[in-house]
Amino acid sequence: MNPSQNTPKNKNPHSQNTLLLMLLLLLPTLSNSFPKPPPLPILPLPTFNQLQWQQTEMALFLHFGPNTFNDSEWGTGRADPAIFNPESMDALQWARTASEAGFSRVVLTAKHHDGFCLWPSDLTDYSVRSSPWRGGAGDVVGELAEAAREVGIGLGLYLSPWDRHEPSYGKTREYNEFYVGQMTELLTRYGEIKEVWLDGAKGKGEKDMDYFFDCWFDLIHQLQPRAIIFSDGGPDARWVGDEAAVSRSTCWSLFNKSSALIGHTDDYYSGRGDPRGLDWVPPECDVSIRPGWFWHKSERPKNATTLLDIYYKSVGRNCQLLLNVPPNSSGLISEEDIQVLQEFANLRSIIFSTNLAENATVTASSKRGGINETRFDPSHVLRDGIYTYWAPEERQCYWTVYVDLGQPVTFNVLRVQEPIQMGQRIMEFHLDIQRGGGEWTMIANGTTIGYKRLLRFPKVECQFLRFVVGKARADPLIAYIGLYLDLFSTVKNETSRGSHSHFNRSQAIRFKMGNQSLKGVTRAAM
């Protein structure tokens, strides 16, 4: 057989080489036809529960109990249960007040330091069962749980570890069993609990007690797997270090739980967090609308502009705000407190309802995946939320977002957010505006951003601005950039080095909210 008969006809070595060359030339195009994956998240990361919790921004604290009736802050544990008799109590009013003012959750002092239980505990007679309220058949926790479900907000509970009434307090094992028993009652009788709040408060000279915190935390997570546990040092949320709801201007959600001893935490460390922290433990800021935590007839609430300032310094610095609004001795939230909360909600709506940059043209110094990639486009920073974001190309040393507003716009507030599900990254940033002649001028700067950062500065008018990240733990990601006009507060300087602000009362008086005047906004702050 002739071997040439097995050779395919018309085989041309030159055409084979040409085909191979074409395939080599097409290879980069074929490889680029697949979208670039998202950047690698940088640890630590929030859990699902923490992510949902932080996006709710604000909760209402409700301090209520015998202290409400005996004009006290820290009860002795010896008050007669008969003193507790809120004849007009309406938990639905509490829940509606919270919801209508923009609060996503209520947290009730189910048991404060005096040991009096606002539910009929089977483990003590020092509870609503021994009071004349509802004929001894009442249950404050139960009524609030039902009201919260009806209104559509979450429920949180505070069970104080310090108990000045319980005889077993001071006997470590016996009291820990008692506390776990009461916690079990609360977490198994009232449906879903969104937050369990406890602290290490204890007066000087009190009995020595070792709290089995790790046991408590594991039990809480077992019984209520979607609940956030707050304490001085976590495990899920931490204290910011003061009771004025003022976060430090640098505030990381990163933290080392091993560095925090509940009841003995370092306020500076708690307030700042730790850029090298191994745990994700976001901060919560607590403050009372009144001077005291329980209702006192002689006290008056802070005004709405004071609450607005607190909002900037808590939610606006990567924290959650827990605002205490104590029910009065009738069992209702006082009308003057409700009015302030409504005014506070109106102020936030007026300022933040419209992003003045929402129709802007946005470009950036680079974009992950190149010009044809759309998932990381800088235009995403104008979409409200954290699940779309701008990402720069890798290995860059210059990270800038440019904003063209289309025409000169007046503003004095910057809102910026990171997609925290990808980790907290940014360590330094600044905002510049372009003045006549093309010259750039910095008007605000900061360090951390996290879930949300709000910066105030004197009013400016411009068309072109740029947001510059100067330092980051990894490639910076920006989920949102917003510009707003606040007519109610004037800021001399608010940067990473601190802030000084006061409220422009004359503008507050003149400004109207539709048909509703800002009545009461200019009252002196307590």
Side-chain angles (χ1 to χ4, degrees):
M1 183 175 181
N2 189 342
S4 63
Q5 293 178 347
N6 293 329
T7 303
K9 294 182 179 180
N10 302 323
K11 185 173 182 180
N12 187 331
H14 296 292
S15 62
Q16 284 183 322
N17 292 338
T18 301
L19 180 60
L20 180 60
L21 180 60
M22 290 176 64
L23 288 173
L24 290 172
L25 290 172
L26 287 171
L27 190 58
T29 303
L30 292 172
S31 64
N32 288 337
S33 64
F34 298 103
K36 191 155 188 172
L40 194 67
I42 180 170
L43 299 176
L45 299 177
T47 64
F48 174 83
N49 292 345
Q50 289 172 321
L51 198 57
Q52 298 297 307
W53 175 86
Q54 188 145 21
Q55 291 180 85
T56 60
E57 295 195 355
M58 299 191 303
L60 215 63
F61 218 173
L62 300 166
H63 276 64
F64 191 53
N67 292 347
T68 306
F69 301 86
N70 60 20
D71 202 28
S72 175
E73 283 291 296
W74 280 14
T76 63
R78 295 186 292 274
D80 187 337
I83 198 174
F84 184 83
N85 192 19
E87 295 180 352
S88 301
M89 197 198 109
D90 184 357
L92 191 57
Q93 186 232 25
W94 304 356
R96 284 175 175 160
T97 297
S99 177
E100 290 170 3
F103 293 78
S104 65
R105 186 172 65 262
V106 287
V107 179
L108 174 69
T109 55
K111 184 186 79 170
H112 203 251
H113 311 322
D114 60 0
F116 186 84
C117 300
L118 296 184
W119 79 102
S121 174
D122 294 334
L123 301 176
T124 180
D125 60 358
Y126 200 56
S127 75
V128 289
R129 182 182 283 132
S130 299
S131 77
W133 177 66
R134 302 275 197 264
D139 185 344
V140 179
V141 178
E143 291 188 20
L144 183 57
E146 183 178 347
R149 282 191 294 271
E150 181 174 335
V151 172
I153 61 174
L155 174 66
L157 297 174
Y158 169 37
L159 185 67
S160 172
W162 181 27
D163 190 322
R164 305 185 76 180
H165 176 83
E166 171 55 34
S168 68
Y169 189 86
K171 303 172 184 178
T172 295
R173 177 169 291 278
E174 289 88 339
Y175 181 72
N176 274 276
E177 290 175 347
F178 173 81
Y179 187 88
V180 164
Q182 289 201 321
M183 182 67 77
T184 301
E185 289 179 343
L186 289 173
L187 302 186
T188 57
R189 293 182 180 179
Y190 301 106
E192 185 176 25
I193 304 300
K194 291 292 189 180
E195 182 169 358
V196 175
W197 210 95
L198 54 93
D199 55 21
K202 186 170 69 171
K204 292 182 180 180
E206 286 293 319
K207 301 173 185 177
D208 289 334
M209 265 295 309
D210 291 327
Y211 301 133
F212 295 170
F213 285 116
D214 289 341
C215 176
W216 300 357
F217 297 159
D218 284 352
L219 177 73
I220 293 166
H221 281 149
Q222 178 191 102
L223 297 177
Q224 292 284 343
R226 300 190 70 171
I228 288 291
I229 303 175
F230 167 95
S231 81
D232 298 12
D236 302 319
R238 73 178 195 267
W239 188 42
V240 80
D242 63 56
E243 292 186 342
V246 175
S247 171
R248 298 182 183 275
S249 57
T250 295
C251 187
W252 292 94
S253 292
L254 282 60
F255 193 72
N256 279 323
K257 288 186 283 191
S258 60
S259 300
L261 179 62
I262 299 173
H264 304 280
T265 54
D266 181 279
D267 292 348
Y268 182 79
Y269 185 73
S270 294
R272 285 178 59 92
D274 189 343
R276 297 181 179 86
L278 301 177
D279 305 300
W280 186 278
V281 189
E284 186 170 57
C285 298
D286 58 331
V287 68
S288 184
I289 196 171
R290 292 167 174 257
W293 289 91
F294 286 88
W295 178 84
H296 304 284
K297 186 176 182 179
S298 62
E299 295 180 351
R300 295 294 176 266
K302 297 174 174 65
N303 61 39
T305 48
T306 298
L307 296 186
L308 178 63
D309 188 53
I310 289 171
Y311 179 82
Y312 278 114
K313 294 174 180 176
S314 55
V315 174
R317 293 180 180 174
N318 188 40
C319 299
Q320 176 146 148
L321 173 60
L322 181 61
L323 178 64
N324 180 64
V325 182
N328 60 32
S329 56
S330 295
L332 300 171
I333 294 177
S334 299
E335 284 300 321
E336 56 186 347
D337 294 17
I338 293 175
Q339 180 181 332
V340 169
L341 290 172
Q342 290 173 342
E343 292 168 357
F344 175 42
N346 287 336
L347 290 178
R348 299 195 318 275
S349 176
I350 291 167
I351 297 167
F352 298 109
S353 60
T354 301
N355 180 2
L356 299 176
E358 65 180 355
N359 296 317
T361 300
V362 183
T363 56
S365 52
S366 67
K367 181 175 65 172
R368 183 178 178 85
I371 59 173
N372 294 323
E373 179 59 75
T374 60
R375 291 180 304 155
F376 310 112
D377 196 85
S379 63
H380 291 331
V381 303
L382 300 181
R383 295 183 184 177
D384 206 346
I386 62 172
Y387 293 102
T388 57
Y389 52 87
W390 165 69
E393 193 56 274
E394 298 171 285
R395 293 180 293 277
Q396 302 295 303
C397 58
Y398 183 65
W399 304 304
T400 303
V401 175
Y402 298 93
V403 180
D404 177 359
L405 298 172
Q407 61 183 5
V409 173
T410 300
F411 57 93
N412 60 1
V413 176
L414 167 71
R415 169 184 158 195
V416 60
Q417 296 182 255
E418 292 183 82
I420 57 173
Q421 70 275 13
M422 304 294 288
Q424 190 175 352
R425 299 165 176 250
I426 295 173
M427 304 174 76
E428 291 179 7
F429 68 92
H430 62 269
L431 181 69
D432 301 338
I433 62 171
Q434 191 175 61
R435 299 193 184 276
E439 180 180 323
W440 289 102
T441 302
M442 185 180 77
I443 59 170
N445 73 296
T447 51
T448 49
I449 295 176
Y451 172 66
K452 179 177 286 188
R453 187 66 189 268
L454 298 172
L455 279 180
R456 294 172 290 178
F457 39 85
K459 280 194 298 186
V460 296
E461 183 181 42
C462 74
Q463 177 176 341
F464 302 100
L465 57 144
R466 65 183 183 186
F467 180 86
V468 182
V469 177
K471 187 177 180 181
R473 298 172 62 232
D475 288 341
L477 308 175
I478 303 295
Y480 190 81
I481 293 176
L483 302 175
Y484 305 91
L485 181 61
D486 178 354
L487 295 174
F488 307 98
S489 57
T490 302
V491 180
K492 297 178 181 178
N493 184 36
E494 179 157 301
T495 69
S496 59
R497 294 179 295 277
S499 65
H500 305 278
S501 63
H502 67 274
F503 295 106
N504 189 325
R505 299 184 182 278
S506 62
Q507 285 182 324
I509 293 171
R510 290 196 303 268
F511 204 88
K512 304 289 184 180
M513 295 176 286
N515 295 323
Q516 184 177 356
S517 170
L518 279 174
K519 180 182 177 183
V521 164
T522 59
R523 286 198 302 270
M526 296 297 292

